[in-house]
Amino acid sequence: MPADTLLARAGELLAENTREAVFNGRVYRFSIPAQERYRFQWFWDSCFHAIVWARLDVERACDELRGLLALQAPSGRIPHVVFWDETLVSRTGWHYLESPGRLGWFLPGSQPRATAMIQPPVIAQAVEAIVERGGEAFLDEALPALERYYRYLARERDPDGDGLISIIAQFESGIDFSPAYDPKWGATAPAILGLAARVPEIVDKLVDWNLELVFRFNPRHVEDVLVNSVYADALQALARLAARRGDAQLEEWATATGRRVLDALLERCYDERRGLFFNLNGAKERRADGANTIISLLPLLLSDLPTDVAARLVEHLADPNEFWTPFPVASVALDEPTFRRDSRVDGSRRIWRGPCSLNTNWLLSLGLRRHGENVLADDLATRSRELVERGGFNEFFDPLDGTPVGAHRFGWATLAAVI
Ligand code: GLC
């Protein structure tokens, strides 16, 4: 299919998933990830939607992010989900659990507007994509908010000051049920995985997301490799955006902070023996020595990653027994015992345990190009487009035969049109 036809189809899907909401007298427009399951606005989904919108309609791309910025907390945090449609918020689901306030759950009439959590901080890259497509004026609006956001992450999400930020629930990682977060005793029954994921959130909720208490009482916080790779890359984008505005102080801070994240990833998360990066778990920051998942590959995104380290990651990525399946990139290495082709495990939805997703394909294709691996990047782009041309813009795909799995008509799959 010609590239512009695919892009036009991507636009149709994002338009079909567009919703409007009024907040403080102003109308916001955004695309929900999918009509069948995800009917709110999600942070990193909207950042990816904005990257695609920027190719089609720059003003619409700005709108996609305005809805997120409208809900920025005084601390600078931007929520991971905004509950624009209040009729869909349920007391029995995760909506109250993941939101601020302990008592609201029990008080009639009180409703959360957004969660108390974060997602991989890819918004600086989205703003840069908008600026590069002619949306320079948006920077006046966005730059102060970005500065507050990234300073929040550096100040409040890095209690030990090593440069790496922590997530306090695995749903902050964006890679929800990756085996990288499996409980350390190794149980993988869906019910146990579900419970193990919720327990840290219950602790966070009990202390009302007060980060000082969270870091004291929630033992399952993680310095996550994917989150920190996206963060380090975002800081470089932020530095470039600050330079455009002549803000030397912000440029310097973002450059130095990004550099520290990369140094810490190399020093603390890199397992030289395996040639892979692993998360640091809990207050003792034990480096995981477990499942080989897509998370381990994401430092490839960083152009300053030393060449020999990048080469080791590319070896894993390009290995057909690990990630380079017929439809790459598998979210868990094929030779891992936890690998599954589907996003359901024993009948329950447990995503990110093998199927391929277009947002990680997009991030890794950028990484491959940054490290001169254009042949692999082109191959990944071709196979990504083939996936959506055959199976539609789907949430996930079986990495062995390309069958679409998970939600249909899914927003970030449109990245295939710009990969
Ligand atoms: C799932 C994904 C997460 C995404 C959300 C909405 O929870 O794991 O990354 O943001 O769905 O699409």
Side-chain angles (χ1 to χ4, degrees):
M1 186 185 294
D4 40 353
T5 312
L6 190 62
L7 186 59
R9 293 207 178 154
E12 279 161 25
L13 166 55
L14 291 174
E16 179 185 305
N17 285 359
T18 293
R19 297 290 179 274
E20 284 191 359
V22 180
F23 179 54
N24 289 339
R26 185 169 172 176
V27 180
Y28 291 93
R29 285 190 296 170
F30 53 90
S31 297
I32 55 172
Q35 307 197 22
E36 75 194 64
R37 155 177 300 277
Y38 300 111
R39 289 181 292 163
F40 300 112
Q41 182 176 19
W42 261 264
F43 175 89
W44 80 327
D45 300 67
S46 269
C47 295
F48 293 125
H49 300 162
I51 288 166
V52 180
W53 274 124
R55 302 287 184 103
L56 291 157
D57 175 349
V58 171
E59 195 42 38
R60 178 63 185 77
C62 302
D63 270 358
E64 188 76 23
L65 300 182
R66 285 189 179 111
L68 296 174
L69 300 182
L71 268 295
Q72 184 165 31
S75 64
R77 189 182 55 80
I78 304 176
H80 106 290
V81 182
V82 183
F83 301 123
W84 292 110
D85 184 345
E86 297 175 352
T87 63
L88 300 173
V89 176
S90 135
R91 279 173 206 269
T92 52
W94 49 273
H95 312 141
Y96 278 78
L97 172 64
E98 294 188 351
S99 300
R102 266 174 303 200
L103 295 174
W105 214 332
F106 309 104
L107 299 175
S110 86
Q111 270 216 345
R113 181 161 284 280
T115 63
M117 295 170 24
I118 59 167
Q119 262 192 330
V122 71
I123 193 166
Q125 293 92 326
V127 172
E128 193 175 37
I130 291 175
V131 168
E132 281 169 355
R133 292 270 150 186
E136 184 84 36
F138 183 57
L139 205 46
D140 294 335
E141 222 175 304
L143 194 59
L146 291 187
E147 174 168 12
R148 289 210 308 281
Y149 176 58
Y150 289 99
R151 286 196 189 267
Y152 154 82
L153 293 174
R155 188 182 67 239
E156 295 193 30
R157 287 303 189 111
D158 177 18
D160 58 6
D162 65 355
L164 299 172
I165 56 171
S166 296
I167 54 169
I168 56 176
Q170 71 198 58
F171 299 110
E172 288 196 320
S173 70
I175 312 289
D176 304 11
F177 283 107
S178 170
Y181 311 115
D182 283 0
K184 59 174 176 298
W185 57 88
T188 56
I192 298 196
L193 294 180
L195 191 67
R198 292 298 175 199
V199 168
E201 293 192 326
I202 293 170
V203 178
D204 297 340
K205 178 80 176 170
L206 285 171
V207 298
D208 198 6
W209 307 92
N210 172 316
L211 289 170
E212 214 186 300
L213 299 177
V214 165
F215 286 119
R216 185 140 23 115
F217 294 114
N218 171 359
R220 279 177 61 92
H221 50 88
V222 177
E223 290 175 344
D224 181 274
V225 170
L226 180 147
V227 170
N228 279 284
S229 303
V230 168
Y231 173 53
D233 184 51
L235 286 163
Q236 291 187 14
L238 180 63
R240 289 189 295 270
L241 293 172
R244 275 180 184 261
R245 275 290 174 273
D247 186 340
Q249 219 182 351
L250 179 57
E251 182 191 355
E252 211 175 288
W253 175 81
T255 307
T257 309
R259 183 75 233 173
R260 282 194 67 215
V261 181
L262 172 58
D263 290 347
L265 278 169
L266 284 166
E267 195 180 305
R268 322 194 56 196
C269 300
Y270 187 54
D271 180 338
E272 173 85 51
R273 187 181 56 84
R274 295 180 68 182
L276 289 165
F277 288 78
F278 291 97
N279 294 345
L280 304 179
N281 293 325
K284 296 215 173 103
E285 311 202 314
R286 280 190 213 291
R287 190 176 71 208
D289 181 24
N292 181 10
T293 73
I294 200 158
I295 293 171
S296 293
L297 304 181
L298 261 295
L300 196 61
L301 188 58
L302 304 172
S303 29
D304 295 342
L305 192 72
T307 332
D308 56 322
V309 177
R312 303 281 306 271
L313 293 183
V314 172
E315 255 171 56
H316 288 283
L317 174 55
D319 184 340
N321 294 317
E322 293 183 49
F323 296 98
W324 208 261
T325 47
F327 292 91
V329 177
S331 51
V332 173
L334 194 56
D335 58 4
E336 281 290 333
T338 47
F339 171 87
R340 294 289 177 280
R341 297 173 67 162
D342 198 350
S343 56
R344 303 188 77 80
V345 174
D346 300 336
S348 302
R349 209 179 120 84
R350 293 289 176 264
I351 57 181
W352 294 105
R353 298 181 77 83
C356 141
S357 169
L358 269 310
N359 67 332
T360 39
N361 277 16
W362 182 79
L363 290 166
L364 287 169
S365 80
L366 277 182
L368 284 168
R369 292 201 193 281
R370 287 173 183 170
H371 292 281
E373 298 285 350
N374 290 324
V375 175
L376 278 178
D378 287 345
D379 192 12
L380 182 53
T382 306
R383 296 205 220 185
S384 298
R385 283 196 289 267
E386 198 182 327
L387 277 177
V388 300
E389 282 167 15
R390 286 178 13 167
F393 292 112
N394 225 74
E395 184 184 13
F396 293 106
F397 298 87
D398 179 328
L400 297 179
D401 66 9
T403 306
V405 294
H408 305 298
R409 307 287 292 155
F410 189 82
W412 78 37
T414 58
L415 286 167
V418 301
I419 204 165

